[in-house]
Amino acid sequence: MKIGMTCYPTYGGSGVVATELGKALAERGHSIHFISYALPMRLQGFSGNIIYHEVETSNYPLFDFPLYTLALASKMVEVVNYENIDILHCHYAIPHATSAYLAKQMLNLRHIKVITTLHGTDITLVGLEPSFLPTIKFSIEQSDGVTAVSRFLREKTLTHFGIEKEIEVIPNFVDINKYKRINSAKVRSQWAPENEKILMHTSNFRPVKRVEDVIRIFNEVQKRVPSKLILIGDGPDRSLCELLCRELQIQDHVKFLGKQAEIVDLLSAADLFLMPSQSESFGLSALEAMACSVPVVSTSVGGLPELNIHNQTGFIAEIGDVERMARYAVDLLTNPAKHKTFSEAARVRATEFNQDKIVTLYERYYQKILDSNNVPTT
Ligand code: GMT
């Protein structure tokens, strides 16, 4: 198949899923054309079956705001025509599904099929804003196929947007052969020279991630367990978090690593992963941690309970219940036998989301949509 894959290239789960999916499909012999405004973060190195097409936006003085949606639609038309694309697969509905709809119209409804994968805040947060809702609802309804990364997200799409369309749940995935616990003695000795416990969090530091709660949980934990906190990623809340560490006088126990492209050796040094999000449709970074045998303490929001099994692969608690999450963390970090059992269960759970299995689901879904003669609902 020839697939045009559109995603955000930045540090975030939807771009990671799109990129890893594209790479896996390319390895299976499909031709993948990434269409985005910058090289997706995890798309490094040459692969014979992958081509990257950059979307240029005009900064003509009349345009106060870059017209990315239109520029993307035009680039999609070009790539579909020149490369004989079968499917445009859009990750994150805004504005990608809208650009793909426009492109399909410009192509005069040529054989091209549009598939939209819903990832999270495109449905639960920003997509609900009045300035987006009607357009996003329309674009989702006009897609030939729609997938969501969790059952939670499918339900939210149907109820929030009043959409009656069939939505296939295809969960996120991890390459369990790459994401597995490796010897981390060197990294551990740098971060925790006294063999302290290591707590970890990775995110794009947006308010929904509640990284301040990560720090408050750690503050409670370190009072009872010698420990260090490693924070990976960057984003709008990072400065606030750096400040909070200083206010709590724990800055010497917390390391902000910024964005990291390769994290297996980092995750392998962790004893516990924290994800106290306010909203999380799936929690890909928790899955990657679990694949590296790291138990997870998370909130119970969104799709997280579909991944993190309470009292088995970690613990779940209500949003903002810092005290409870800290108690769970201390329980695991002070009980080696329990920690070992949870770590093993986390790895076993992660294997259920193995890349090979989930990429096959996408391949089958592509074929189903290509074979269908569906008329999008309006
Ligand atoms: O919706 C977002 O916040 C963007 C997106 C991203 O690009 O980071 O994250 C979502 O998609 C990920 C991949 O499917 C999921 O693992 C995240 O749970 C989800 N984030 C939220 O729902 C907040």
mmCIF file of all heavy atoms in Angstrom, residues 8 10-17 92 117-124 149 152-153 172 204 206 208-209 275 277 279-285 304, ligand 1:
data_model
loop_
_atom_site.group_PDB
_atom_site.id
_atom_site.type_symbol
_atom_site.label_atom_id
_atom_site.label_comp_id
_atom_site.label_asym_id
_atom_site.label_seq_id
_atom_site.Cartn_x
_atom_site.Cartn_y
_atom_site.Cartn_z
ATOM 1 N N TYR A 8 1.724 15.516 13.881
ATOM 2 C CA TYR A 8 2.548 16.588 14.449
ATOM 3 C C TYR A 8 3.956 16.027 14.649
ATOM 4 O O TYR A 8 4.108 14.904 15.126
ATOM 5 C CB TYR A 8 1.957 17.073 15.778
ATOM 6 C CG TYR A 8 0.778 17.984 15.561
ATOM 7 C CD1 TYR A 8 -0.525 17.551 15.763
ATOM 8 C CD2 TYR A 8 0.976 19.277 15.087
ATOM 9 C CE1 TYR A 8 -1.600 18.385 15.527
ATOM 10 C CE2 TYR A 8 -0.099 20.115 14.841
ATOM 11 C CZ TYR A 8 -1.384 19.669 15.068
ATOM 12 O OH TYR A 8 -2.436 20.495 14.811
ATOM 13 N N THR A 10 6.184 17.136 16.633
ATOM 14 C CA THR A 10 6.747 17.561 17.910
ATOM 15 C C THR A 10 6.755 16.447 18.958
ATOM 16 O O THR A 10 6.291 15.346 18.709
ATOM 17 C CB THR A 10 5.923 18.741 18.444
ATOM 18 O OG1 THR A 10 4.548 18.430 18.246
ATOM 19 C CG2 THR A 10 6.247 20.017 17.716
ATOM 20 N N TYR A 11 7.248 16.797 20.156
ATOM 21 C CA TYR A 11 7.349 15.842 21.261
ATOM 22 C C TYR A 11 5.947 15.533 21.773
ATOM 23 O O TYR A 11 5.349 16.311 22.489
ATOM 24 C CB TYR A 11 8.175 16.508 22.374
ATOM 25 C CG TYR A 11 8.874 15.555 23.300
ATOM 26 C CD1 TYR A 11 10.045 14.909 22.910
ATOM 27 C CD2 TYR A 11 8.394 15.316 24.573
ATOM 28 C CE1 TYR A 11 10.708 14.054 23.758
ATOM 29 C CE2 TYR A 11 9.054 14.460 25.438
ATOM 30 C CZ TYR A 11 10.207 13.834 25.023
ATOM 31 O OH TYR A 11 10.863 12.993 25.875
ATOM 32 N N GLY A 12 5.400 14.424 21.394
ATOM 33 C CA GLY A 12 4.031 14.095 21.828
ATOM 34 C C GLY A 12 3.642 12.738 21.291
ATOM 35 O O GLY A 12 4.169 12.271 20.279
ATOM 36 N N GLY A 13 2.688 12.122 21.984
ATOM 37 C CA GLY A 13 2.329 10.744 21.689
ATOM 38 C C GLY A 13 1.781 10.502 20.295
ATOM 39 O O GLY A 13 2.091 9.491 19.675
ATOM 40 N N SER A 14 0.962 11.433 19.786
ATOM 41 C CA SER A 14 0.342 11.157 18.484
ATOM 42 C C SER A 14 1.398 11.085 17.380
ATOM 43 O O SER A 14 1.320 10.239 16.487
ATOM 44 C CB SER A 14 -0.731 12.198 18.160
ATOM 45 O OG SER A 14 -0.186 13.491 18.137
ATOM 46 N N GLY A 15 2.398 11.975 17.470
ATOM 47 C CA GLY A 15 3.495 11.956 16.492
ATOM 48 C C GLY A 15 4.337 10.695 16.628
ATOM 49 O O GLY A 15 4.783 10.112 15.633
ATOM 50 N N VAL A 16 4.519 10.253 17.864
ATOM 51 C CA VAL A 16 5.301 9.031 18.103
ATOM 52 C C VAL A 16 4.568 7.829 17.501
ATOM 53 O O VAL A 16 5.171 7.011 16.790
ATOM 54 C CB VAL A 16 5.532 8.816 19.624
ATOM 55 C CG1 VAL A 16 6.087 7.428 19.903
ATOM 56 C CG2 VAL A 16 6.460 9.894 20.179
ATOM 57 N N VAL A 17 3.269 7.740 17.757
ATOM 58 C CA VAL A 17 2.500 6.605 17.233
ATOM 59 C C VAL A 17 2.550 6.600 15.701
ATOM 60 O O VAL A 17 2.814 5.565 15.071
ATOM 61 C CB VAL A 17 1.025 6.663 17.724
ATOM 62 C CG1 VAL A 17 0.165 5.625 17.010
ATOM 63 C CG2 VAL A 17 0.957 6.461 19.236
ATOM 64 N N TYR A 92 -4.335 12.745 14.824
ATOM 65 C CA TYR A 92 -4.840 13.926 15.522
ATOM 66 C C TYR A 92 -5.735 14.683 14.532
ATOM 67 O O TYR A 92 -5.295 15.100 13.460
ATOM 68 C CB TYR A 92 -3.688 14.823 16.010
ATOM 69 C CG TYR A 92 -4.054 15.717 17.187
ATOM 70 C CD1 TYR A 92 -3.969 15.258 18.496
ATOM 71 C CD2 TYR A 92 -4.502 17.021 16.977
ATOM 72 C CE1 TYR A 92 -4.291 16.079 19.574
ATOM 73 C CE2 TYR A 92 -4.828 17.844 18.045
ATOM 74 C CZ TYR A 92 -4.717 17.372 19.347
ATOM 75 O OH TYR A 92 -5.041 18.192 20.395
ATOM 76 N N THR A 117 -7.070 9.049 12.825
ATOM 77 C CA THR A 117 -6.880 8.438 14.143
ATOM 78 C C THR A 117 -6.975 9.521 15.202
ATOM 79 O O THR A 117 -6.228 10.504 15.168
ATOM 80 C CB THR A 117 -5.520 7.697 14.222
ATOM 81 O OG1 THR A 117 -5.598 6.539 13.385
ATOM 82 C CG2 THR A 117 -5.214 7.248 15.647
ATOM 83 N N LEU A 118 -7.922 9.317 16.125
ATOM 84 C CA LEU A 118 -8.139 10.279 17.210
ATOM 85 C C LEU A 118 -7.199 9.908 18.350
ATOM 86 O O LEU A 118 -7.092 8.727 18.708
ATOM 87 C CB LEU A 118 -9.593 10.224 17.660
ATOM 88 C CG LEU A 118 -10.597 10.324 16.506
ATOM 89 C CD1 LEU A 118 -12.007 10.011 16.979
ATOM 90 C CD2 LEU A 118 -10.525 11.713 15.864
ATOM 91 N N HIS A 119 -6.546 10.908 18.911
ATOM 92 C CA HIS A 119 -5.524 10.604 19.922
ATOM 93 C C HIS A 119 -5.857 11.073 21.321
ATOM 94 O O HIS A 119 -5.397 10.473 22.286
ATOM 95 C CB HIS A 119 -4.175 11.176 19.499
ATOM 96 C CG HIS A 119 -3.472 10.311 18.503
ATOM 97 N ND1 HIS A 119 -2.695 9.232 18.868
ATOM 98 C CD2 HIS A 119 -3.457 10.339 17.154
ATOM 99 C CE1 HIS A 119 -2.228 8.632 17.786
ATOM 100 N NE2 HIS A 119 -2.670 9.288 16.721
ATOM 101 N N GLY A 120 -6.549 12.177 21.464
ATOM 102 C CA GLY A 120 -6.768 12.628 22.852
ATOM 103 C C GLY A 120 -7.409 13.983 22.921
ATOM 104 O O GLY A 120 -8.625 14.122 22.752
ATOM 105 N N THR A 121 -6.595 15.012 23.106
ATOM 106 C CA THR A 121 -7.165 16.345 23.335
ATOM 107 C C THR A 121 -7.857 16.896 22.085
ATOM 108 O O THR A 121 -8.599 17.863 22.184
ATOM 109 C CB THR A 121 -6.074 17.331 23.800
ATOM 110 O OG1 THR A 121 -4.983 17.252 22.900
ATOM 111 C CG2 THR A 121 -5.632 17.004 25.216
ATOM 112 N N ASP A 122 -7.606 16.274 20.925
ATOM 113 C CA ASP A 122 -8.381 16.672 19.733
ATOM 114 C C ASP A 122 -9.867 16.399 19.976
ATOM 115 O O ASP A 122 -10.735 17.033 19.389
ATOM 116 C CB ASP A 122 -7.880 15.963 18.453
ATOM 117 C CG ASP A 122 -7.643 14.469 18.623
ATOM 118 O OD1 ASP A 122 -7.706 13.972 19.754
ATOM 119 O OD2 ASP A 122 -7.377 13.804 17.609
ATOM 120 N N ILE A 123 -10.161 15.477 20.894
ATOM 121 C CA ILE A 123 -11.545 15.115 21.220
ATOM 122 C C ILE A 123 -11.939 15.624 22.604
ATOM 123 O O ILE A 123 -13.037 16.135 22.797
ATOM 124 C CB ILE A 123 -11.693 13.564 21.179
ATOM 125 C CG1 ILE A 123 -11.448 13.051 19.754
ATOM 126 C CG2 ILE A 123 -13.045 13.111 21.705
ATOM 127 C CD1 ILE A 123 -12.334 13.658 18.689
ATOM 128 N N THR A 124 -11.045 15.478 23.568
ATOM 129 C CA THR A 124 -11.447 15.737 24.959
ATOM 130 C C THR A 124 -11.280 17.196 25.378
ATOM 131 O O THR A 124 -11.830 17.611 26.377
ATOM 132 C CB THR A 124 -10.620 14.865 25.924
ATOM 133 O OG1 THR A 124 -9.224 15.132 25.693
ATOM 134 C CG2 THR A 124 -10.889 13.392 25.722
ATOM 135 N N VAL A 149 -7.679 5.543 20.021
ATOM 136 C CA VAL A 149 -6.632 4.759 20.681
ATOM 137 C C VAL A 149 -7.105 4.070 21.963
ATOM 138 O O VAL A 149 -6.337 3.339 22.580
ATOM 139 C CB VAL A 149 -5.358 5.607 20.951
ATOM 140 C CG1 VAL A 149 -4.742 6.105 19.658
ATOM 141 C CG2 VAL A 149 -5.673 6.776 21.901
ATOM 142 N N PHE A 152 -12.323 4.393 25.809
ATOM 143 C CA PHE A 152 -12.727 5.659 26.422
ATOM 144 C C PHE A 152 -12.852 6.748 25.353
ATOM 145 O O PHE A 152 -13.834 7.490 25.300
ATOM 146 C CB PHE A 152 -11.686 6.069 27.482
ATOM 147 C CG PHE A 152 -11.676 7.534 27.787
ATOM 148 C CD1 PHE A 152 -12.586 8.072 28.685
ATOM 149 C CD2 PHE A 152 -10.769 8.394 27.160
ATOM 150 C CE1 PHE A 152 -12.595 9.432 28.954
ATOM 151 C CE2 PHE A 152 -10.773 9.742 27.423
ATOM 152 C CZ PHE A 152 -11.692 10.268 28.324
ATOM 153 N N LEU A 153 -11.850 6.835 24.485
ATOM 154 C CA LEU A 153 -11.832 7.919 23.495
ATOM 155 C C LEU A 153 -12.943 7.733 22.459
ATOM 156 O O LEU A 153 -13.554 8.707 22.006
ATOM 157 C CB LEU A 153 -10.453 7.998 22.820
ATOM 158 C CG LEU A 153 -10.199 9.271 22.034
ATOM 159 C CD1 LEU A 153 -10.284 10.510 22.918
ATOM 160 C CD2 LEU A 153 -8.839 9.237 21.346
ATOM 161 N N ASN A 172 -2.717 1.953 21.248
ATOM 162 C CA ASN A 172 -1.309 2.266 20.964
ATOM 163 C C ASN A 172 -0.439 1.039 21.216
ATOM 164 O O ASN A 172 -0.896 0.051 21.780
ATOM 165 C CB ASN A 172 -0.860 3.451 21.818
ATOM 166 C CG ASN A 172 -1.481 4.737 21.314
ATOM 167 O OD1 ASN A 172 -1.826 4.832 20.138
ATOM 168 N ND2 ASN A 172 -1.655 5.700 22.189
ATOM 169 N N ASN A 204 5.093 16.174 27.754
ATOM 170 C CA ASN A 204 5.352 17.451 27.100
ATOM 171 C C ASN A 204 5.007 18.630 28.023
ATOM 172 O O ASN A 204 4.828 19.744 27.552
ATOM 173 C CB ASN A 204 4.623 17.545 25.757
ATOM 174 C CG ASN A 204 3.197 17.028 25.867
ATOM 175 O OD1 ASN A 204 2.633 16.975 26.964
ATOM 176 N ND2 ASN A 204 2.612 16.657 24.749
ATOM 177 N N ARG A 206 2.558 19.870 29.510
ATOM 178 C CA ARG A 206 1.381 20.720 29.354
ATOM 179 C C ARG A 206 0.522 20.589 30.611
ATOM 180 O O ARG A 206 0.622 19.581 31.330
ATOM 181 C CB ARG A 206 0.598 20.314 28.107
ATOM 182 C CG ARG A 206 1.271 20.838 26.831
ATOM 183 C CD ARG A 206 0.575 20.363 25.610
ATOM 184 N NE ARG A 206 0.505 18.924 25.615
ATOM 185 C CZ ARG A 206 -0.404 18.235 24.949
ATOM 186 N NH1 ARG A 206 -1.302 18.847 24.232
ATOM 187 N NH2 ARG A 206 -0.405 16.924 24.984
ATOM 188 N N VAL A 208 -2.400 19.586 31.254
ATOM 189 C CA VAL A 208 -3.140 18.327 31.454
ATOM 190 C C VAL A 208 -2.280 17.239 32.088
ATOM 191 O O VAL A 208 -2.809 16.290 32.667
ATOM 192 C CB VAL A 208 -3.735 17.725 30.143
ATOM 193 C CG1 VAL A 208 -4.961 18.447 29.679
ATOM 194 C CG2 VAL A 208 -2.713 17.588 29.062
ATOM 195 N N LYS A 209 -0.990 17.365 31.988
ATOM 196 C CA LYS A 209 -0.101 16.325 32.531
ATOM 197 C C LYS A 209 0.104 16.462 34.034
ATOM 198 O O LYS A 209 0.603 15.552 34.680
ATOM 199 C CB LYS A 209 1.264 16.361 31.818
ATOM 200 C CG LYS A 209 1.186 16.177 30.318
ATOM 201 C CD LYS A 209 0.790 14.747 29.947
ATOM 202 C CE LYS A 209 0.635 14.598 28.441
ATOM 203 N NZ LYS A 209 0.205 13.257 28.049
ATOM 204 N N MET A 275 2.301 9.105 36.489
ATOM 205 C CA MET A 275 1.483 9.747 35.463
ATOM 206 C C MET A 275 0.191 10.270 36.105
ATOM 207 O O MET A 275 -0.865 9.637 36.027
ATOM 208 C CB MET A 275 1.175 8.758 34.331
ATOM 209 C CG MET A 275 0.448 9.411 33.178
ATOM 210 S SD MET A 275 0.228 8.340 31.757
ATOM 211 C CE MET A 275 1.511 8.942 30.680
ATOM 212 N N SER A 277 -1.942 12.502 35.336
ATOM 213 C CA SER A 277 -2.621 13.369 34.362
ATOM 214 C C SER A 277 -4.067 13.690 34.736
ATOM 215 O O SER A 277 -4.757 12.910 35.378
ATOM 216 C CB SER A 277 -2.649 12.700 32.992
ATOM 217 O OG SER A 277 -1.361 12.347 32.602
ATOM 218 N N SER A 279 -6.077 14.350 32.148
ATOM 219 C CA SER A 279 -6.764 13.753 31.008
ATOM 220 C C SER A 279 -5.724 12.932 30.250
ATOM 221 O O SER A 279 -4.597 13.388 30.050
ATOM 222 C CB SER A 279 -7.323 14.883 30.139
ATOM 223 O OG SER A 279 -7.663 14.398 28.874
ATOM 224 N N GLU A 280 -6.097 11.717 29.883
ATOM 225 C CA GLU A 280 -5.132 10.854 29.182
ATOM 226 C C GLU A 280 -5.938 9.813 28.425
ATOM 227 O O GLU A 280 -6.544 8.933 29.033
ATOM 228 C CB GLU A 280 -4.215 10.191 30.214
ATOM 229 C CG GLU A 280 -2.881 9.741 29.693
ATOM 230 C CD GLU A 280 -1.954 10.898 29.334
ATOM 231 O OE1 GLU A 280 -1.564 11.663 30.223
ATOM 232 O OE2 GLU A 280 -1.627 11.017 28.137
ATOM 233 N N SER A 281 -5.950 9.920 27.117
ATOM 234 C CA SER A 281 -6.783 8.984 26.371
ATOM 235 C C SER A 281 -6.188 7.582 26.358
ATOM 236 O O SER A 281 -6.908 6.593 26.251
ATOM 237 C CB SER A 281 -6.968 9.460 24.943
ATOM 238 O OG SER A 281 -5.736 9.400 24.289
ATOM 239 N N PHE A 282 -4.877 7.490 26.470
ATOM 240 C CA PHE A 282 -4.231 6.176 26.478
ATOM 241 C C PHE A 282 -3.068 6.148 27.478
ATOM 242 O O PHE A 282 -3.076 5.377 28.418
ATOM 243 C CB PHE A 282 -3.731 5.803 25.076
ATOM 244 C CG PHE A 282 -3.097 4.442 25.028
ATOM 245 C CD1 PHE A 282 -3.875 3.308 24.811
ATOM 246 C CD2 PHE A 282 -1.731 4.276 25.244
ATOM 247 C CE1 PHE A 282 -3.307 2.041 24.818
ATOM 248 C CE2 PHE A 282 -1.159 3.009 25.249
ATOM 249 C CZ PHE A 282 -1.939 1.886 25.028
ATOM 250 N N GLY A 283 -2.055 6.982 27.242
ATOM 251 C CA GLY A 283 -0.885 6.991 28.144
ATOM 252 C C GLY A 283 0.276 6.215 27.552
ATOM 253 O O GLY A 283 0.814 5.305 28.184
ATOM 254 N N LEU A 284 0.672 6.606 26.322
ATOM 255 C CA LEU A 284 1.734 5.874 25.630
ATOM 256 C C LEU A 284 3.037 5.832 26.433
ATOM 257 O O LEU A 284 3.728 4.809 26.455
ATOM 258 C CB LEU A 284 1.977 6.519 24.255
ATOM 259 C CG LEU A 284 3.047 5.875 23.397
ATOM 260 C CD1 LEU A 284 2.687 4.440 23.032
ATOM 261 C CD2 LEU A 284 3.281 6.689 22.116
ATOM 262 N N SER A 285 3.372 6.939 27.093
ATOM 263 C CA SER A 285 4.658 6.934 27.808
ATOM 264 C C SER A 285 4.609 5.956 28.983
ATOM 265 O O SER A 285 5.637 5.360 29.334
ATOM 266 C CB SER A 285 5.057 8.339 28.252
ATOM 267 O OG SER A 285 3.994 8.962 28.890
ATOM 268 N N LEU A 304 -6.521 5.367 30.897
ATOM 269 C CA LEU A 304 -5.455 4.801 31.741
ATOM 270 C C LEU A 304 -5.838 3.467 32.389
ATOM 271 O O LEU A 304 -5.016 2.551 32.417
ATOM 272 C CB LEU A 304 -5.002 5.826 32.798
ATOM 273 C CG LEU A 304 -4.055 6.920 32.259
ATOM 274 C CD1 LEU A 304 -3.796 7.987 33.316
ATOM 275 C CD2 LEU A 304 -2.741 6.308 31.793
HETATM 276 O O1 GMT B 1 -4.032 14.791 22.786
HETATM 277 C C1 GMT B 1 -2.912 15.169 23.101
HETATM 278 O O2 GMT B 1 -2.583 15.680 24.144
HETATM 279 C C2 GMT B 1 -1.872 14.986 22.094
HETATM 280 C C3 GMT B 1 -1.355 13.649 22.046
HETATM 281 C C4 GMT B 1 0.083 13.888 21.830
HETATM 282 O O3 GMT B 1 0.430 14.187 20.699
HETATM 283 O O4 GMT B 1 0.804 13.841 22.803
HETATM 284 O O5 GMT B 1 -1.512 12.822 23.217
HETATM 285 C C5 GMT B 1 -2.554 11.903 23.183
HETATM 286 O O6 GMT B 1 -2.164 10.866 22.315
HETATM 287 C C6 GMT B 1 -1.261 9.900 22.811
HETATM 288 C C7 GMT B 1 -0.977 8.894 21.701
HETATM 289 O O7 GMT B 1 -2.148 8.294 21.273
HETATM 290 C C8 GMT B 1 -1.861 9.237 24.049
HETATM 291 O O8 GMT B 1 -0.984 8.258 24.552
HETATM 292 C C9 GMT B 1 -2.093 10.324 25.104
HETATM 293 O O9 GMT B 1 -2.751 9.716 26.199
HETATM 294 C C10 GMT B 1 -2.957 11.422 24.555
HETATM 295 N N1 GMT B 1 -2.942 12.546 25.499
HETATM 296 C C11 GMT B 1 -4.045 12.934 26.143
HETATM 297 O O10 GMT B 1 -5.122 12.391 26.017
HETATM 298 C C12 GMT B 1 -3.870 14.093 27.058
#
